[in-house]
Amino acid sequence: AKNLGRNRFNYFTPSMQVYAKYRMRLIQDLRQALQNQELELHYQPIVELKSGRVTKAEALVRWCHPVRGMVSPSEFIPIAEDTGLILDIGNWVFEQAAKQSAYWRDTLGTEVQISINESQVQFRDDKHGCRDAIALLHELNLKGAELCIEVTEGLLQDADIGVRAQLKAYRDAGIQLSLDNFGTGYSSLAYLQQCHIDYLKIDKCLTNNLTASDDEMKLCEAIILMAHKLDIKVTAEGVETEAQRQRLVAIGCDYAQGYLFSRVVTATVFAQSYLQPQAL
Ligand code: C2E
Ligand code: CA
Ligand code: CA
């Protein structure tokens, strides 16, 4: 290792050490990111397929690192989960989304339901901000249904009493629940009803194959039928083509999001594109 120049070591050796160093740096930076206001919440419209209207959006966090530029959430969310930083980030995301929804209501007279992603780690922590969250709703005069929490199958599979109590607290506050990335995990169906899920999101790997394979289409159709029987609405994720949209309409899917409709955009662009002040 002595022969290796510093640069060579840093840039050309894909060793664990390099990664560990990179990761440590990222952790340090992430600690600062909230204080330095480097995090932003961006939005992707969710389209009601029947009408083509946009009344919902998914909030997705963005990190604008001063040196590295945009760091993808798939890179920093896992790190935030490992270090517990996800708790502060999660509370910030919730607060930001709630305020955004109230702001759009107050300035444009439009109700937009904002979906927020919450990590398992948040639910499994005693300090989960459920209580603060509900206090914030009252403060902003929100009914609750302006927000929807997206959770993953992992959370519901081994939801202990603590997790269930938190889900119930959200529901009691009027907040809706959505099951993200459906079709990627075990997809045991029992918990769908036990946990009172309102929406189920068909993962983009299923959506992708919707027009390529008949089996995949039948699978999606079956998922939608089952969900509707359980009074659950279905959103398809990662819709990229018109052919996929048409298939989804044909098999009765309720909502869709994806690059066909829009990329993830800033709050300002979202409002300009989809929210018109309501005529009195
Ligand atoms: P996700 O919740 O499944 O979010 C959907 C991801 O798909 C987003 O990636 C979005 O930009 C991307 N996407 C949307 N439409 C399309 C499409 O048509 N095609 C393709 N290929 N991709 C599409 P993003 O923003 O990079 O987020 C990645 C993941 O990071 C999210 O996956 C979510 O698990 C996590 N994440 C993002 N924001 C938050 C947050 O505030 N809190 C937590 N806990 N996790 C978050
Ligand atoms: Ca999501
Ligand atoms: Ca998803």
Side-chain angles (χ1 to χ4, degrees):
K2 202 178 163 202
N3 292 345
L4 293 173
R6 189 187 163 78
N7 286 343
R8 200 169 152 209
F9 180 78
N10 272 328
Y11 297 114
F12 297 112
T13 318
S15 73
M16 295 292 282
Q17 232 174 328
V18 172
Y19 178 69
K21 224 171 157 183
Y22 166 81
R23 191 185 146 95
M24 243 154 70
R25 212 32 231 268
L26 215 55
I27 293 171
Q28 278 170 14
D29 291 354
L30 195 53
R31 289 221 160 85
Q32 300 295 316
L34 266 176
Q35 280 144 20
N36 298 349
Q37 302 185 318
E38 289 163 18
L39 296 188
E40 284 181 16
L41 211 49
H42 287 195
Y43 297 87
Q44 186 175 42
I46 299 175
V47 179
E48 187 185 47
L49 283 166
K50 235 184 357 207
S51 62
R53 286 179 60 222
V54 172
T55 53
K56 303 175 193 286
E58 177 173 2
L60 294 152
V61 70
R62 294 289 176 262
W63 181 13
C64 315
H65 189 285
V67 179
R68 287 180 219 272
M70 280 288 196
V71 184
S72 161
S74 4
E75 190 169 354
F76 73 83
I77 292 288
I79 291 179
E81 288 176 334
D82 290 350
T83 53
L85 287 167
I86 193 70
L87 300 175
D88 287 338
I89 294 176
N91 288 338
W92 179 84
V93 166
F94 187 100
E95 185 178 332
Q96 203 68 17
K99 286 182 172 164
Q100 187 68 67
S101 184
Y103 176 79
W104 280 332
R105 174 199 62 198
D106 296 342
T107 57
L108 304 170
T110 321
E111 193 172 294
V112 184
Q113 185 185 58
I114 299 179
S115 285
I116 301 160
N117 293 283
E118 284 204 357
S119 150
Q120 283 200 53
V121 177
Q122 290 172 259
F123 279 95
R124 300 201 193 283
D125 192 277
D126 305 334
K127 294 192 297 291
H128 185 259
C130 236
R131 279 199 167 200
D132 294 347
I134 289 153
L136 180 66
L137 291 186
H138 289 306
E139 208 177 292
L140 294 169
N141 222 342
L142 291 171
K143 299 188 295 282
E146 300 89 341
L147 297 174
C148 178
I149 306 290
E150 295 194 2
V151 299
T152 51
E153 284 173 337
L155 180 77
L156 303 187
Q157 260 154 33
D158 27 53
D160 58 15
I161 292 178
V163 168
R164 282 182 196 221
Q166 291 177 50
L167 288 170
K168 186 169 184 304
Y170 274 149
R171 283 181 40 77
D172 289 348
I175 296 173
Q176 296 200 295
L177 298 175
S178 184
L179 178 58
D180 207 353
N181 308 337
F182 189 80
T184 53
Y186 293 95
S187 306
S188 149
L189 304 176
Y191 57 64
L192 280 177
Q193 219 164 18
Q194 278 162 19
C195 297
H196 301 279
I197 291 296
D198 301 287
Y199 302 91
L200 186 156
K201 299 187 79 168
I202 295 184
D203 193 76
K204 51 179 170 280
C205 67
L206 285 181
T207 309
N208 276 347
N209 293 323
L210 201 56
T211 47
S213 114
D214 261 6
D215 284 350
E216 214 83 352
M217 191 182 87
K218 283 180 195 148
L219 182 60
C220 287
E221 195 173 5
I223 290 172
I224 293 166
L225 281 170
M226 172 210 66
H228 286 170
K229 276 265 187 264
L230 298 175
D231 223 6
I232 295 169
K233 297 236 182 294
V234 181
T235 308
E237 294 192 277
V239 179
E240 294 180 352
T241 68
E242 174 57 22
Q244 288 167 354
R245 189 193 66 82
Q246 284 177 13
R247 280 256 156 127
L248 289 165
V249 171
I251 61 178
C253 186
D254 303 289
Y255 297 95
Q257 60 183 109
Y259 298 157
L260 173 67
F261 308 104
S262 167
R263 300 221 157 227
V264 182
V265 297
T266 62
T268 311
V269 171
F270 181 85
Q272 281 165 358
S273 312
Y274 304 104
L275 311 179
Q276 303 295 327
Q278 255 166 29
L280 292 173

